[in-house]
Amino acid sequence: MSANTTDKPPAAADLPRRGGTVPGRAAGRPSGSRPRTSGWVEASMVLPALVVFVGLLVVPVGYAVYYSFTDYNGFPTQTPEIVGLDNYVRIFETADVRGSMVVTAVVAVAGSLAVNAAALCLALLLWRTTRFTAFARVVMFYPHVLSLIVVGFLWSAMLGPQGAVNSLLESLGSSPLPFLSDETWALATLIVVIAWAQFGVQLLIYLAGLQAVPAELLEASRMDGANRWQTFRHVTWPALAPSVTVALITSMISLLKTYDVVVSLTGGGPAGSTKTFAYQILAVEFPKRQVGLASAEAVVLILVAAILAFGVLALRRRHDEGAQA
């Protein structure tokens, strides 16, 4: 009998049926694809955050845009009456509203410069981690933890006409200073107080940016004979560019909606010299039941904040492209 055997064709049971499945492959699912249930699991994880975002941001903004085109006093018994762009026209025709916009612009620009300058200088001083700098970072961040209402009351008690600072000046034989009673002084005081209360976040941003500066570049600049100013200008400052962009955007947006500290520090006075746009919306228009006008002002504030944020990002991107070219 010969040892060679004839190869037998595979049995029909061993062949995969047409439209059937290959052994080892899940039925109805192509190779390499994820289970269908994974998509539902991912969607269920995103859904709670999406509901909160839509409910607390998209819906209120949508209602604000709608009411900005109406004459509405906020009472459920009144049906909002469509008035078109009348509320937006009133914003630029009313002297008080225009004045509050100017004050907001001054606070946003001057306050942002003061906040970022103070935060950057302190970050450079507290760059190296020691016991003292670790304690100093906590102390510097502490004002940001306080409520702005509380901050306003504290500084009002110190800088008011009968406050601690003026009482000390009088006891020393000097005349009191009009921190909160003079229009120019009050606006400057407001900016300084806001800068003191809000520079903590920018300080952390700059500290994080400084920690990311390559130590090799700093060492190379010192070996090349560069002094501290040259090292900061040519090494540290370019490396801090992303941190500066983030710090500027966050500080400007925060200052555009300044309201709490105005209520507790100056009350918008004297003579409306510290009345910001947010204060005009919340403390003037809404108490007068001018919901349509207040909504239009809120929409304008949102648009200005968005334009500033995207403008800073665009300038930063253009600068990066020019540096790469």
Side-chain angles (χ1 to χ4, degrees):
M1 184 175 179
S2 176
N4 295 330
T5 59
T6 305
D7 293 333
K8 295 181 180 181
D14 297 331
L15 294 174
R17 296 180 180 180
R18 183 175 297 178
T21 60
V22 177
R25 183 180 298 178
R29 179 166 56 91
S31 176
S33 65
R34 296 182 300 176
R36 293 179 179 178
T37 56
S38 65
W40 291 104
V41 172
E42 294 173 356
S44 65
M45 292 181 178
V46 175
L47 185 60
L50 183 62
V51 170
V52 173
F53 175 77
V54 172
L56 297 182
L57 184 65
V58 177
V59 173
V61 171
Y63 270 108
V65 173
Y66 165 69
Y67 286 133
S68 68
F69 296 103
T70 66
D71 182 13
Y72 184 49
N73 60 12
F75 289 107
T77 55
Q78 183 196 8
T79 302
E81 179 183 353
I82 302 297
V83 294
L85 298 175
D86 289 355
N87 289 324
Y88 292 95
V89 173
R90 289 176 59 190
I91 292 176
F92 299 98
E93 289 182 346
T94 307
D96 288 343
V97 179
R98 291 200 308 269
S100 66
M101 296 172 69
V102 173
V103 171
T104 302
V106 173
V107 170
V109 174
S112 181
L113 292 176
V115 167
N116 285 276
L120 180 58
C121 292
L122 288 172
L124 291 172
L125 292 175
L126 305 177
W127 185 354
R128 306 302 178 187
T129 301
T130 62
R131 292 183 179 181
F132 170 76
T133 58
F135 173 75
R137 292 174 185 177
V138 176
V139 173
M140 296 300 174
F141 186 76
Y142 181 73
H144 185 76
V145 179
L146 299 175
S147 169
L148 288 178
I149 289 287
V150 175
V151 168
F153 282 126
L154 288 175
W155 283 97
S156 178
M158 289 188 291
L159 302 179
Q162 305 298 325
V165 174
N166 281 325
S167 297
L168 178 62
L169 291 175
E170 290 180 352
S171 64
L172 296 176
S174 300
S175 58
L177 298 176
F179 292 108
L180 303 177
S181 56
D182 180 78
E183 296 181 10
T184 304
W185 277 80
L187 183 58
T189 301
L190 176 65
I191 294 172
V192 171
V193 171
I194 292 174
W196 176 84
Q198 297 192 3
F199 81 94
V201 173
Q202 277 66 34
L203 174 63
L204 294 183
I205 293 174
Y206 287 125
L207 283 173
L210 289 171
Q211 299 300 327
V213 177
E216 296 81 5
L217 294 180
L218 298 174
E219 183 65 24
S221 66
R222 283 193 289 266
M223 293 179 63
D224 290 340
N227 55 33
R228 291 185 178 182
W229 168 248
Q230 292 172 333
T231 301
F232 172 78
R233 180 182 177 184
H234 298 289
V235 178
T236 307
W237 179 252
L240 280 177
S243 300
V244 173
T245 302
V246 174
L248 281 175
I249 292 175
T250 54
S251 60
M252 282 194 300
I253 292 178
S254 177
L255 291 168
L256 281 175
K257 55 187 182 65
T258 300
Y259 167 74
D260 311 58
V261 69
V262 177
V263 173
S264 55
L265 181 63
T266 64
S273 60
T274 59
K275 186 168 60 176
T276 61
F277 202 42
Y279 184 89
Q280 177 74 24
I281 296 171
L282 297 172
V284 178
E285 308 299 353
F286 273 115
K288 292 181 179 179
R289 314 299 301 182
Q290 296 179 346
V291 176
L293 180 59
S295 298
E297 294 171 352
V299 171
V300 170
L301 187 60
I302 293 172
L303 291 176
V304 170
I307 291 172
L308 284 175
F310 286 113
V312 172
L313 290 175
L315 290 175
R316 181 64 216 163
R317 187 178 298 109
R318 180 180 299 179
H319 181 273
D320 292 340
E321 293 175 353
Q324 294 176 358

